[in-house]
Each structure stands twice: as structure tokens, then as C-alpha cells.
Amino acid sequence: MTDPDVHTLAGPYVLDALPAPERTRFEAHLKDCAFCRTEVDELREAAVKLATQVAAPPPPHLKANVMAAIDQVRQLPPQVWGEDAPAERRYSRRSVLALAAAAVAAATAGGVAIDQYRRRSEQTEANQRISAILAQPDARTVHGAVSGGGQATVVTSARANAAVVVLKDLPKLPAQRTWQLWMIDTSQQAHSIGLATGDETQVIDGNVTGKATFGLTIEPAGGSPSPTLPAAALIPLT
Amino acid sequence: MPDPIALPWPSRQGVVSVGDLLARTAAGDTAAFSALYDRVAPAVFGLVRRVLRNPAQSEEVTQEVMLDVWRTATRFNPERGSAHSWILTIAHRRAVDRVRSEQASADRTELAGARAVDVDFDQVADTVTTRLDVEQVRRCLGKLTELQRESVTLAYYNGYTYPEIAERLGAKLPTIKARMRDGLIRLRDCLDPAQGG
């Protein structure tokens, strides 16, 4: 606050023109400087007006993508103590993790059991394993539509060689059929990672590191040694 | 059940504001979010595309921005500015972060700041409101000094940092910082409030 220069930073800050280290420092300063906050808020209203000059309609399909995707994104609860950072300061990795966590939460909150045959303590353990995978620094989330309806979300961590698969709104299969999950490596070799009866969340241990694609197929009950094509979903993992 | 949402834009009268739509979005109202998307997506997409240039990346970032709006709508604080600015602030930050992390500086060498004021009217939702806003911003930008205008537009439309701009314009760092602030103050005073969120 004693540095006279700090107030001129409101300009470059509002224009997102501060290099990363200075941005961080100025944001720390903003917490203690009510005057600076007011100035930032005022200048920001002017800066965003510059966007009106370049407005352009997005391609129509984008809205469909966004509306489909919000289904997978849980909203933040209003006000969290100890978190006063405005939303615009969130970084993409946090968003990815939130998205993944949201997907898992949506699947479980939707009345879908992690594994309906497990006891409660085992479910808690499964939740802990899910959290551990989501917390990996290299955790990545991918989504894809399942042909015939529904969505698959896969969170992978190459480091942990583990993944979380969330299947949602899948079409119902006849009794003699099952969903089968695959991890496909770069040479197109498919490795079975499990079966699914319908909407569920699974933890996958192993067969994740180095895999290029997640696949979902419909197989005869009991599963197949190799996927029956065409796949219901193929989702690139990178 | 949410009320049916009036069509956005044309007349201001009886139209749900962006702020109201955001508030309803924060309550999990997907219909309100859909209407909000229609209202803000052209500004978001246009801005992101202006900064990033790359159409595919622009779509991706626009989608990220809109998902972030959905996810963090509950955190919007109306005391700190309009809903519209809040959304465009998220959009600008994301576009700039993306251009810095992924695009080679060669992609941004074109000195396009001053020319960034061109807009394709036919592509923008053709409404009186938009036209007036564009005219007004253009007029107000015209009241800035050359150095103020270049500092502001190179940062906002091209995503340059102030040291990059100082180097490009051959000016001292403190000068550019100060011109950005002076330019924005002049812009603010010229634009004045009087527009709803």
C-alpha cells in the first residue's frame, strides 16, 4: 500500500495484462485494499464494454454441447467460508477436478449405487478410492456420448494407473446383454476393464497408464474377450 | 416452476436482465441458463475469438467459460459489478491464459490493436442496443490518446502483457501501466453507467 506504483496496476490488472507473478501479487494486495477493489470494479465495467465491439454469434452446435455438459457439472454451493476468491480466478485444473467430482456426485446423488451389492463400509472405501484418483495431480477428465443415449465420463490418472468411470443415462439392455468397458492402447489392442449393468460408477485399477482410448461396447452376458464392434462409445483419453 | 423466459434483447422493457437470469441460474434453473446463454454467448464467443484467433480453440474456451458460469453462478456478487461484466471477465481471463500458454508468440505478432475496433454488424445480433453500444465504445475509444488506446486495445483484444506492449511500442514500463489506467478511466468517464446488467 505504501508503494505508489501499486495503484497504477489496476489498469493492467483489469485488462489481464499483468504477467502471472505480478497478477498473483496484486490479487493478494487487493484483499487488503478496499480502494483498489473499488477502482478495479469500476474500471472493469469500462473494460468489458470493449467486448461489444467484437461480438459474434457462436456456431449453433455449441449451445447444444454446453446444455448437454451442464448436466455433468454440479454448481458450487453458495458461499464457502475461507474461500473468498472470485470465480474468475479459478484455474482450469481445478475446474477439471470439480467437473470430475461433479460427475461422480451426480451419478451417486441420482440414486445410483456405486455397487448395489456392496455393504456400506465397502462403499465408503470406494468413495475414498474415487477421491484419491480425482486428487491425483495428473487427473484428466473426458466425456463422450454413448450411441443410443447416455454419457460416459472417465477420469484417468496415468500416475496412479487408475481411473474412475461414470456411466449415466445408458439405454436399458436386454437380460442377455451387458455393457463392457475397455481401455485401448496405441496399437488398437483393447483390454477389458470390467462389465457394467447400466448406470454406475466404477473404479478401475490398472490398465490405464499408456492407454489412448476408453471404449464401451454391448456384449453377451458375461462379457467377450475382445470388443464386438461397432462400439457404443469411443472416447480419446488425451 | 420457473416462469417462461421472455426473449432476450430487442426491447428493454419487460425483458429479464442478465443479472436476473444469472440469479436463477444460480438456483439451478436450466431454462434460465439457456436464456442466459443466448444473451451472453455472442459477446463471450466474439471476445474469445478475437483474443485466440483459432476458431476451434475459441469454441472450446467459450464452452469452458459457459460451464464455469453455470458452476460458479452462486458466487457472483452483484455488489462488485454487473452480471454481464462478471461473465466477460471470466471469458477474457480464460482466453488470455489460453493464448499465453498455448499459442506461439508468432501468432500474435500482428499489430492489430487499433484495428480491433472493426466489427461485422451483420454477424452480431442486429439490435439497436448493440449498435448503440458499439458506436459509443468506438466514439469513446476515439477520445483516448494514441498511446492510451494502443495500450488498452493491445492488452484487451490481443492478450499482451504490459511488458510486451512496452517493448512493442518502445515505451517505458511505468508509462504503459499508467496509460492503461488513464485510458480506462477516460473510457469509464465517457461511457458512464446508465446501462443495466
Side-chain angles (χ1 to χ4, degrees):
Chain A
M1 276 211 277
T2 48
D3 178 3
D5 196 37
V6 83
H7 291 309
T8 61
L9 287 181
Y13 176 71
V14 160
L15 294 167
D16 288 318
L18 292 178
E22 277 187 81
R23 181 199 282 178
T24 310
R25 249 179 292 143
F26 187 69
E27 284 181 345
H29 172 75
L30 274 181
K31 285 186 182 158
D32 303 323
C33 178
F35 172 82
C36 302
R37 280 200 300 275
T38 305
E39 182 167 83
V40 161
D41 292 345
E42 284 181 15
L43 294 185
R44 179 164 281 156
E45 296 291 320
V48 298
K49 282 282 174 190
L50 295 168
T52 59
Q53 300 243 83
V54 291
H61 67 85
L62 194 62
K63 183 173 181 184
N65 293 353
V66 168
M67 294 310 292
I70 60 168
D71 215 30
Q72 303 283 331
V73 179
R74 189 172 55 170
Q75 295 183 298
L76 292 178
Q79 305 300 336
V80 170
W81 287 104
E83 183 168 25
D84 54 358
E88 64 263 35
R89 265 181 245 158
R90 276 161 225 290
Y91 296 109
S92 56
R93 211 189 93 74
R94 288 180 67 190
S95 305
V96 165
L97 287 185
L99 203 62
V104 173
T108 46
V112 182
I114 295 270
D115 179 336
Q116 54 190 322
Y117 300 109
R118 283 186 185 172
R119 285 198 205 103
R120 194 168 187 78
S121 63
E122 288 173 321
Q123 197 171 92
T124 306
E125 192 197 313
N127 284 338
Q128 283 166 354
R129 287 160 73 211
I130 291 171
S131 308
I133 294 166
L134 298 185
Q136 289 295 320
D138 67 339
R140 272 189 65 90
T141 306
V142 294
H143 301 283
V146 177
S147 66
Q151 282 247 327
T153 300
V154 186
V155 185
T156 55
S157 165
R159 200 170 107 137
N161 192 20
V164 178
V165 175
V166 181
L167 303 175
K168 199 163 169 262
D169 302 329
L170 297 187
K172 205 169 163 49
L173 295 183
Q176 295 311 305
R177 296 274 156 176
T178 181
W179 296 101
Q180 191 163 359
L181 284 49
W182 310 85
M183 284 289 180
I184 301 159
D185 61 28
T186 46
S187 56
Q188 299 301 313
Q189 180 80 33
H191 306 262
S192 174
I193 52 169
L195 305 178
T197 52
D199 290 1
E200 59 188 76
T201 298
Q202 290 198 7
V203 177
I204 310 298
D205 279 320
N207 264 322
V208 170
T209 309
K211 299 300 182 293
T213 309
F214 167 82
L216 183 68
T217 61
I218 298 171
E219 305 294 344
S224 303
S226 61
T228 300
L229 299 176
L234 284 175
I235 307 175
L237 295 174
T238 49
Chain B
M1 282 297 105
D3 302 319
I5 287 157
L7 280 174
W9 253 338
S11 80
R12 294 214 162 186
Q13 215 177 9
V15 167
V16 185
S17 73
V18 170
D20 289 342
L21 291 174
L22 186 62
R24 283 153 66 170
T25 296
D29 180 342
T30 55
F33 179 73
S34 170
L36 180 68
Y37 179 97
D38 295 339
R39 281 287 266 288
V40 302
V44 169
F45 178 71
L47 176 59
V48 168
R49 197 183 62 174
R50 184 64 190 79
V51 175
L52 286 176
R53 310 278 175 84
N54 175 316
Q57 277 187 7
S58 302
E59 284 185 33
E60 214 177 290
V61 170
T62 301
Q63 177 161 348
E64 283 173 19
V65 169
M66 293 312 299
L67 290 181
D68 223 24
V69 167
W70 166 259
R71 193 173 62 82
T72 63
T74 51
R75 302 298 169 85
F76 167 65
N77 178 358
E79 285 167 21
R80 299 208 50 195
S82 71
H84 198 254
S85 323
W86 181 74
I87 292 167
L88 286 172
T89 299
I90 295 175
H92 192 257
R93 173 68 68 92
R94 272 199 184 259
V96 162
D97 284 348
R98 176 68 78 96
V99 84
R100 289 192 194 143
S101 66
E102 288 188 10
Q103 235 162 297
S105 56
D107 284 356
R108 297 193 287 141
T109 48
E110 179 203 355
L111 182 68
R115 274 167 284 150
V117 295
D118 293 332
V119 66
D120 183 352
F121 276 115
D122 296 337
Q123 281 197 14
V124 179
D126 187 18
T127 69
V128 176
T129 315
T130 312
R131 270 176 200 275
L132 288 179
D133 281 351
V134 172
E135 296 295 332
Q136 194 190 20
V137 171
R138 182 172 293 174
R139 185 173 57 79
C140 291
L141 271 175
K143 293 190 172 174
L144 271 51
T145 68
E146 182 77 16
L147 196 54
Q148 286 173 345
R149 187 171 52 247
E150 283 196 315
S151 304
V152 167
T153 56
L154 279 171
Y156 197 74
Y157 294 126
N158 298 57
Y160 288 109
T161 62
Y162 81 87
E164 287 172 330
I165 294 169
E167 195 186 339
R168 172 175 288 275
L169 299 179
K172 291 198 164 69
L173 289 177
T175 307
I176 294 301
K177 278 192 274 193
R179 292 306 163 269
M180 284 179 172
R181 179 167 178 251
D182 300 343
L184 285 174
I185 289 171
R186 197 176 280 198
L187 205 55
R188 176 196 67 190
D189 293 347
C190 174
L191 291 167
D192 214 34
Q195 20 251 333

